[in-house]
Amino acid sequence: MSLFRKNDARLSADEARSRTDGDRYGEILLDVREESEWRAGHAPGAVHAPLTGLVAGAALPRVARRRALVVICRSGHRSQQAAKLLAGRGADAVDVRGGMRAWAAAGHPVVDERGNRGSIT
């Protein structure tokens, strides 16, 4: 049984963190921002798959396949597009309202490519 249904309401940053933190729900936090944005700062444990690649037909990273996805970007616009695209491919996907800006504003951790404190660009 899936925890998401297509067209579910968007998640808050707090809901996204609770669903992707640990094994309780088992969702994958999928960051669809571009490489430079990812390197500057992302949520610990997130999986990277740029929207430009997904639109071009790229497959999801192996760890994200056949898993429920919580999709995030910088502000929520690209993640909403990605969630719709992925749902159209049969994935369980929901996006995060306000994206990484909301994530950081809620006080959730952001790390750079080296694991140090990151920033949202």
Side-chain angles (χ1 to χ4, degrees):
M1 178 177 177
S2 173
L3 294 172
F4 298 133
R5 293 179 311 277
K6 289 174 180 51
N7 300 321
D8 269 352
R10 303 172 83 187
L11 298 179
S12 70
D14 289 338
E15 291 167 324
R17 183 165 188 210
S18 73
R19 288 186 179 209
T20 60
D21 190 24
D23 295 328
R24 182 172 180 198
Y25 294 103
E27 283 92 344
I28 296 291
L29 185 62
L30 186 72
D31 191 320
V32 297
R33 296 175 300 145
E34 294 304 313
E35 185 69 30
S36 62
E37 295 171 289
W38 167 263
R39 284 193 314 263
H42 56 272
V47 174
H48 188 221
L51 177 60
T52 53
L54 295 173
V55 167
L60 284 169
R62 181 168 285 140
V63 69
R65 296 176 192 163
R66 291 184 284 279
R67 302 278 299 274
L69 305 170
V70 174
V71 186
I72 197 165
C73 66
R74 182 180 59 213
S75 65
H77 180 72
R78 286 176 285 177
S79 60
Q80 194 171 28
Q81 291 177 320
K84 288 178 184 177
L85 174 88
L86 293 166
R89 293 181 184 174
D92 282 333
V94 65
D95 78 299
V96 181
R97 187 176 54 253
M100 285 299 297
R101 288 180 175 165
W103 179 276
H108 303 313
V110 176
V111 296
D112 68 12
E113 63 183 328
R114 294 183 178 97
N116 300 316
R117 186 177 187 150
S119 62
I120 307 306
T121 60

